[in-house]
Amino acid sequence: MKQYLKVDEWSIIEEEFNPLNHEISESVFSIGNGYMGQRANFEEAYSGATLQGSYMAGVYYPDKTRVGWWKNGYPEYFAKVLNSTNWIGISVEIDGEPLDLATAAVKEFRRELNMKEDYLSRSFTAELASGKQVRVEAVRFVSIARREIGAIRYSVTPVNFTGTLTLTPYLDGDIKNKDSNYDEKFWLEVDKTAAADISFLTVKTKKLDFHVTSAMSYDVYVDGQKAVPENLQLIEKEKYVANAFCVPAETGKTVTLTKYAANVTSRDYGLGQLADAAAEALKAAREAGFAALLQEQAEAWAVKWKESDIVIEGDPAAQQAIRFNIFQMNQTYTGEDDRLNIGPKGFTGEKYGGSTYWDTEAYCLPFYLSTADSSIARNLLIYRYKHLDKAKENAAKLGFSKGALYPMVTMNGEECHNEWEITFEELHRNGAIAYAIYNYVNYTGDQDYLAQYGLEVLAEISRFWEERVHYVAAKDKYVMLGVTGPNEYENNVNNNWYTNRIAAWTMEYTLEVLDDLKSGNPSRYAELVDKLELASEETAKWADIVAKMYYPVDEERGVFLQQDGYLDKELIPVKELDPRHLPLNQKWSWDRILRSCYIKQADVLQGLFFLGDRYDLDTKKRNFDFYEPLTVHESSLSPCVHSILACELGYQEKAYEMYLRTSRLDLDNYNNDTEDGCHITSMAGTWMSVVYGFGGLRVRDGALELNPFVPAQWTTFSFKVMFRGARLKVTVQDKEIKVVNETETPVKVRIHGQEMNLDGSAQALAPSGAAQG
């Protein structure tokens, strides 16, 4: 772990510049607004190791799949969210000598990400080879109130000289992705104009024809007074526009460049409208001014924090961590556009291509269910509904005659993952999408969603499972062979317990929805049965599979087996491994990993978390006690599930250990990979660790259940959740739990089993209690 960031409850702070940490910081200090995002690259030149990253949501490229050996059914491409036009760039020269933090002597460096108001600030003193020193202070943000706008205030103060300062704000579209399979650049120039008032650059992708227009304008001040730049040069190069100008620089006098940028895409405007749209947004932002835009930002984020903040007292590191996770989730996805989804790295890096995984349904949906209007979570599900036809095509490509297989990785509904053991075998992703439909309806009570969208998805997923299993007469059971479960350190296994269980559960839930719709809305039921061509023989087959699904079990230990043959492995707990072997994925060969007993992330325990109402505490305890000691938690999605289950079982120290690991995963670089980007989807799991874990939140029979306790490391904590139109603030202390309804919508809650009807603006008190054990 690299613990170099200062603990602060509302900010992420770096107080020394170390090039070895720079790419990690570029990820951690990223900013975004759901429409675009920006890694914490420097505005001025930096010739050291860096991962340039400016991203536009929904703009991607089908990079040709690169594999050693082609297999039938492989996707033709791997989709990637593109590194887009660099809009933050400001070249700085002092008497012709460039400012480059990789070559200058840097001191008094400080970088701060203010999470409360969402802006990034940076300050430092740099000494150039000539001995000249400058003091630089920079503040930037991407507007949550004006989604197409980014703004920078960049100030330079000469420390020990008088001379000429040359500033060059620019837009650079001649960029590339680090993860390009063939080192290809993905952008072509369409148009450009460098002008004194507004400069434009339009580029388009070589495939799919996404167009991005960026526009910039700026103002210059000397000691707070607006100045007229001297010797203005308008520069146009391939995929690049800039304004270069000079300002007299005097010792102690501050020169400030305020740069405004607008970024618009052809996803939202016609090609002939892009320049005008960018200009309109840019002019309005410049007229408002930097200070007013920053105030807008603070006010918009005050609303977000009012809805989603978690307060932890007595543990500043835990407080900082949970706010960082909530902050990044709110930066990544706003739910305004149902064409968008959530990539595992959000706007913080290129890894995983920025594409959609099952992470969204399994981990992210609960966060948005509880912290925003239900329409936001609904849009995440509609995203998958709109891709249903593509999911059916994906199943057909693999040889299935019916049903839908949702992709492991996607941008537009097509599969674009290129590892066979995942692309063809990690089928449990279908179950996560089915479970998300149940989770949404159970939480919101929105039964209309099932009739309008959900049942079609459930039926097609059930059809896929029906064809994927096969009946073994000798066992009188249905089995599923050749799959990969959530634990990707096992490939091509037979009868993965979790996959079999979630498949059977999906068919069972689909049958329940059909029955409910038949009795509650018979006309819509008839329409859907006709549309789906759903026969009674087919639903009878689903019921038979549910009744006769095979599940591997170790009767002696009383645990569900991860898959057939798991007990043939040598069972050595992780704690008995020499630490030099960890992490396994960086130290062991894949052959050795596959033959080992070690588990990358929750697998059987994932099922016990999802379907927790189906299993008693003793069953959960036996399985947790067996599997957790064999789990290396080398997936960012692992610690949160273990933390939640540990809370339920009364393993308070283990719960806190896993919480701290998931919440500070990126801040402390636990997995030694934060330089690639932050683990955005696991951050939603961190939120669940507090609310579902320490808060004990569940929804049963239309009521919100709470079974909270305070970890020993905290004195108290509070969180807010939206539930069926009401916003509740839950405060948990050592001896008392208080729930306040902050709206006028009445709601039913249960606290440690005690049911209460909470009217608008009312509050309820209940004695606190420890988790069961």
Side-chain angles (χ1 to χ4, degrees):
M1 293 187 296
K2 296 183 175 69
Q3 295 175 317
Y4 66 94
L5 300 171
K6 182 179 178 180
V7 172
D8 182 281
E9 294 186 353
W10 275 111
S11 291
I12 311 300
I13 299 170
E14 181 181 12
E15 293 187 320
E16 180 184 8
F17 180 60
N18 182 345
L20 296 179
N21 295 332
H22 179 56
E23 289 181 285
I24 299 169
S25 292
E26 286 182 325
S27 299
V28 169
F29 289 84
S30 295
I31 53 177
N33 64 3
Y35 177 79
M36 63 178 174
Q38 175 64 51
R39 279 174 64 86
N41 311 119
F42 294 155
E43 288 88 357
E44 68 278 347
Y46 184 70
S47 57
T50 180
L51 175 60
Q52 164 65 34
S54 300
Y55 308 108
M56 301 300 300
V59 175
Y60 69 97
Y61 189 84
D63 197 11
K64 183 170 176 56
T65 296
R66 186 172 190 171
V67 294
W69 188 259
W70 195 265
K71 295 176 174 64
N72 288 335
Y74 260 153
E76 295 290 329
Y77 67 90
F78 187 84
K80 294 175 177 175
V81 168
L82 296 185
N83 180 18
S84 188
T85 297
N86 175 10
W87 61 270
I88 68 169
I90 302 171
S91 295
V92 181
E93 294 183 359
I94 294 95
D95 290 333
E97 189 176 6
L99 174 60
D100 180 345
L101 294 201
T103 58
V106 180
K107 56 185 178 180
E108 298 173 332
F109 180 91
R110 189 178 192 275
R111 175 160 34 189
E112 177 179 355
L113 180 62
N114 182 312
M115 297 184 290
K116 191 172 187 177
E117 300 180 0
D118 190 12
Y119 63 83
L120 174 63
S121 63
R122 187 168 56 100
S123 60
F124 60 87
T125 299
E127 182 175 331
L128 281 62
S130 64
K132 294 174 182 175
Q133 297 179 7
V134 291
R135 179 69 182 168
V136 174
E137 295 181 354
V139 177
R140 77 166 177 248
F141 61 93
V142 292
S143 175
I144 201 80
R146 309 181 188 217
R147 66 177 192 169
E148 295 159 346
I149 294 297
I152 303 168
R153 185 176 63 208
Y154 191 91
S155 299
V156 182
T157 306
V159 175
N160 62 351
F161 70 93
T162 295
T164 300
L165 179 65
T166 303
L167 298 174
T168 308
Y170 61 84
L171 301 170
D172 184 8
D174 190 23
I175 38 78
K176 63 182 180 180
N177 272 49
K178 182 179 180 180
D179 67 351
S180 170
N181 275 343
Y182 294 89
D183 295 324
E184 179 185 4
K185 289 186 177 181
F186 299 138
W187 296 98
L188 296 172
E189 181 184 300
V190 175
D191 193 17
K192 61 175 179 277
T193 301
D197 52 350
I198 300 180
S199 296
F200 294 90
L201 176 64
T202 299
V203 292
K204 71 173 184 177
T205 56
K206 292 181 179 178
K207 299 177 184 176
L208 303 184
D209 204 38
F210 287 111
H211 284 56
V212 175
T213 294
S214 300
M216 73 168 183
S217 59
Y218 57 88
D219 293 305
V220 182
Y221 302 85
V222 177
D223 272 357
Q225 300 298 311
K226 198 166 186 178
V228 177
E230 300 177 0
N231 302 320
L232 177 63
Q233 291 181 279
L234 304 179
I235 302 170
E236 295 182 359
K237 299 188 293 186
E238 182 185 4
K239 291 181 278 190
Y240 177 96
V241 295
N243 282 196
F245 56 84
C246 299
V247 181
E250 298 182 33
T251 303
K253 285 193 174 183
T254 300
V255 177
T256 299
L257 170 67
T258 305
K259 179 179 179 181
Y260 305 93
N263 296 291
V264 299
T265 81
S266 56
R267 296 179 68 256
D268 302 300
Y269 300 98
L271 299 185
Q273 300 173 309
L274 288 170
D276 288 343
E280 182 179 351
L282 187 64
K283 288 177 181 177
R286 188 179 180 186
E287 287 174 3
F290 188 89
L293 295 176
L294 195 57
Q295 181 62 31
E296 283 181 357
Q297 185 83 335
E299 291 169 358
W301 271 90
V303 174
K304 288 188 175 292
W305 286 116
K306 182 179 180 180
E307 294 172 344
S308 60
D309 192 21
I310 289 176
V311 178
I312 296 171
E313 295 184 10
D315 190 344
Q319 177 67 88
Q320 179 189 45
I322 191 59
R323 282 195 173 128
F324 178 66
N325 285 260
I326 294 169
F327 174 77
Q328 290 289 0
M329 291 298 297
N330 279 323
Q331 282 201 131
T332 300
Y333 181 78
T334 62
E336 298 168 0
D337 186 343
D338 64 19
R339 298 170 297 172
L340 297 177
N341 208 278
I342 303 164
K345 296 293 182 181
F347 293 119
T348 70
E350 299 176 9
K351 194 174 181 181
Y352 304 118
S355 301
T356 298
Y357 284 65
W358 69 290
D359 306 21
T360 292
E361 284 73 27
Y363 296 88
C364 299
L365 184 74
F367 172 81
Y368 296 104
L369 276 174
S370 293
T371 63
D373 185 83
S374 61
S375 62
I376 305 302
R378 203 175 203 259
N379 276 347
L380 285 173
L381 298 184
I382 289 174
Y383 174 89
R384 294 293 194 178
Y385 175 79
K386 289 184 173 181
H387 288 173
L388 180 57
D389 286 342
K390 288 290 186 182
K392 292 162 71 173
E393 290 177 14
N394 291 335
K397 288 176 182 177
L398 297 190
F400 290 83
S401 61
K402 59 183 178 180
L405 174 60
Y406 277 91
M408 187 66 182
V409 177
T410 195
M411 280 292 184
N412 65 356
E414 292 181 293
E415 178 65 76
C416 57
H417 194 282
N418 56 17
E419 296 176 16
W420 68 269
E421 67 275 11
I422 293 174
T423 306
F424 303 150
E425 297 195 336
E426 200 162 338
L427 308 176
H428 67 85
R429 67 223 195 209
N430 252 8
I433 291 165
Y435 183 80
I437 294 172
Y438 161 79
N439 201 10
Y440 168 78
V441 174
N442 185 50
Y443 195 94
T444 64
D446 182 6
Q447 295 290 332
D448 288 343
Y449 179 81
L450 292 170
Q452 190 174 2
Y453 303 108
L455 179 56
E456 290 182 60
V457 175
L458 292 169
E460 295 297 352
I461 291 175
S462 293
R463 283 172 161 165
F464 173 84
W465 291 130
E466 175 193 347
E467 191 166 343
R468 186 58 173 79
V469 303
H470 73 269
Y471 178 71
V472 179
K475 293 183 176 182
D476 190 26
K477 294 288 184 182
Y478 290 90
V479 301
M480 200 176 329
L481 309 180
V483 302
T484 297
N487 172 29
E488 293 172 343
Y489 288 176
E490 297 272 12
N491 300 152
N492 198 36
V493 302
N494 295 333
N495 295 307
N496 172 257
W497 182 88
Y498 171 71
T499 305
N500 286 17
R501 188 68 189 91
I502 203 70
W505 176 88
T506 300
M507 289 183 277
E508 182 181 4
Y509 179 53
T510 305
L511 292 171
E512 291 175 4
V513 172
L514 280 166
D515 286 345
D516 290 345
L517 191 63
K518 185 177 182 179
S519 60
N521 191 346
S523 61
R524 180 57 178 162
Y525 170 82
E527 288 176 15
L528 286 173
V529 167
D530 182 61
K531 180 180 180 180
L532 292 165
E533 299 179 353
L534 193 61
S536 59
E537 294 83 3
E538 192 169 14
T539 56
K541 180 68 175 293
W542 297 348
D544 193 50
I545 293 170
V546 171
K548 296 180 179 178
M549 181 66 84
Y550 168 72
Y551 302 107
V553 175
D554 176 23
E555 299 289 355
E556 181 179 344
R557 292 179 174 85
V559 300
F560 306 123
L561 289 183
Q562 187 172 269
Q563 71 267 342
D564 285 347
Y566 183 78
L567 291 182
D568 293 340
K569 295 172 176 288
E570 188 177 12
L571 303 179
I572 303 173
V574 176
K575 68 181 181 180
E576 295 182 16
L577 274 179
D578 187 324
R580 66 187 176 86
H581 291 287
L582 298 172
L584 299 183
N585 58 18
Q586 297 176 23
K587 302 296 179 64
W588 281 12
S589 70
W590 197 241
D591 170 74
R592 188 175 183 184
I593 289 174
L594 291 175
R595 289 186 287 108
S596 79
C597 67
Y598 299 116
I599 301 169
K600 181 182 180 185
Q601 68 189 80
D603 196 302
V604 169
L605 299 185
Q606 183 76 40
L608 294 179
F609 165 57
F610 272 176
L611 308 180
D613 59 335
R614 305 292 182 97
Y615 300 99
D616 60 30
L617 277 179
D618 286 342
T619 299
K620 295 175 184 177
K621 183 178 186 301
R622 289 193 301 272
N623 282 276
F624 188 94
D625 291 349
F626 180 70
Y627 284 111
E628 198 284 327
L630 302 172
T631 304
V632 290
H633 302 293
E634 289 176 9
S635 164
S636 65
L637 301 175
S638 186
C640 60
V641 173
H642 288 80
S643 180
I644 295 166
L645 288 173
C647 285
E648 189 176 1
L649 295 171
Y651 296 164
Q652 296 189 22
E653 285 302 316
K654 175 59 71 173
Y656 181 78
E657 172 198 337
M658 290 290 100
Y659 163 75
L660 211 59
R661 177 160 181 165
T662 184
S663 66
R664 297 194 65 87
L665 182 70
D666 292 309
L667 293 178
D668 295 338
N669 196 18
Y670 266 95
N671 288 354
N672 197 31
D673 61 358
T674 303
E675 66 274 10
D676 295 330
C678 293
H679 299 80
I680 300 298
T681 51
S682 76
M683 290 178 174
T686 298
W687 177 89
M688 286 197 294
S689 296
V690 176
V691 177
Y692 285 28
F694 303 124
L697 183 147
R698 303 291 187 274
V699 176
R700 293 190 177 97
D701 302 322
L704 194 74
E705 292 190 357
L706 297 165
N707 294 284
F709 71 96
V710 182
Q713 294 81 359
W714 305 350
T715 57
T716 183
F717 72 101
S718 67
F719 58 89
K720 295 187 179 184
V721 292
M722 296 289 295
F723 181 68
R724 303 197 177 185
R727 183 174 64 240
L728 304 178
K729 181 178 180 181
V730 181
T731 302
V732 186
Q733 298 175 326
D734 186 45
K735 295 182 180 180
E736 185 179 73
I737 302 159
K738 181 166 71 173
V739 181
V740 178
N741 187 349
E742 296 185 339
T743 65
E744 295 304 314
T745 303
V747 67
K748 184 166 63 176
V749 298
R750 295 190 196 101
I751 305 175
H752 289 308
Q754 180 182 354
E755 188 165 304
M756 306 174 183
N757 291 310
L758 205 59
D759 293 331
S761 300
Q763 70 177 36
L765 299 175
S768 187
Q772 301 180 57

